[in-house]
Amino acid sequence: MAYYLETTTSSATGAYVSLQSRIDYLRDGGAGYTGEFEVEFKVDVTGSTAVIFGSGSTAASDRIVFFTSEFNLNIRRPSPSSPDANFALPQSCFGVHTYRIVGSLTPSSQIEVFQDGVSCGTATNSDLIFIETLFLFGSSSRFSRFYYSKFYNNGVLTNHLDPSATVGTGLVLEDTTGTNDGTLNNFPTNNSQWVFYSSGTEAAITE
C-alpha cells in the first residue's frame, strides 16, 4: 500500500521531521564524505513555496533545500566557498516530480540537479548541506506531499525514507534501508498526514 506524507493547512505551520542522526557525508569535511553522493526525492509542491530539507531544528535558513517559486529550486549552502545556488526547473514544481541532487568530483567538483531526469544545471563544489530535518521553516504558504527520499554515498544506498512503510499510521517516518528514522513534530495525531494513493496513477484516493 502506498502513502505520501502531507503538510497542509490542517497541520501546524511548525510541522517538521527530525532524523535520528544527521547525514554528514553530503558536506566536505563531514563524516564519511567522499565527494560522490546523491540525494533523490519525490515530491509535489502544493503551496506557493516549500522547504524540503534542512540542517536542524535550530539551524539558520541558509542551510536548506527550498522551492522558492514554481520554477526554481534554491540550495542554500553555508560555506563561503560553496555559495547558494539556484536551479531553473524545466517543469512546474506543482505536480509530482522526482528530483536528484548529485555531487561529484569528476570531471570537476560540482553538484548537479535533475528534475525527472532532465538537468537543471550545475553549481561549483561537491558540497551540499548536513541534512537533519524535513519541512523546516514551514509557513502558511509552504506545503508539500512527500513520497520518498533516498540517500547514496559513493554509489551505495544508505537511507530510504519511505512513507509507505508506515501503513498510514503513527508519528515516525521509517528508514527502510538504514536505521535513521524520522520523528514527526507538530503533526496531527489523527494520522491525517498519511495519505493513501494509487501507485499506478499517483492520484490520491478520496471517498
Side-chain angles (χ1 to χ4, degrees), residues 145-183:
R145 296 168 177 168
F146 176 83
Y147 289 80
Y148 72 83
S149 64
K150 296 180 179 180
F151 300 87
Y152 299 84
N153 188 20
N154 205 22
V156 177
L157 177 64
T158 62
N159 308 96
H160 178 189
L161 301 177
D162 184 7
S164 295
T166 67
V167 198
T169 61
L171 294 172
V172 174
L173 175 59
E174 294 187 32
D175 177 2
T176 59
T177 296
T179 59
N180 202 5
D181 293 344
T183 299

Side-chain angles (χ1 to χ4, degrees), residues 7 16 20 23 34 39 42-43 47-48 55 61 63 91-92 104 112 114 118 129-130 147 154 158-160 177 193:
T7 54
Y16 68 98
Q20 288 186 15
I23 300 176
T34 66
V39 179
K42 185 176 182 178
V43 296
S48 58
S55 286
S61 59
R63 296 171 176 83
Q91 300 183 64
S92 167
S104 60
E112 185 170 10
F114 298 85
V118 178
I129 62 172
F130 296 135
Y147 289 80
N154 205 22
T158 62
N159 308 96
H160 178 189
T177 296
Q193 68 271 23

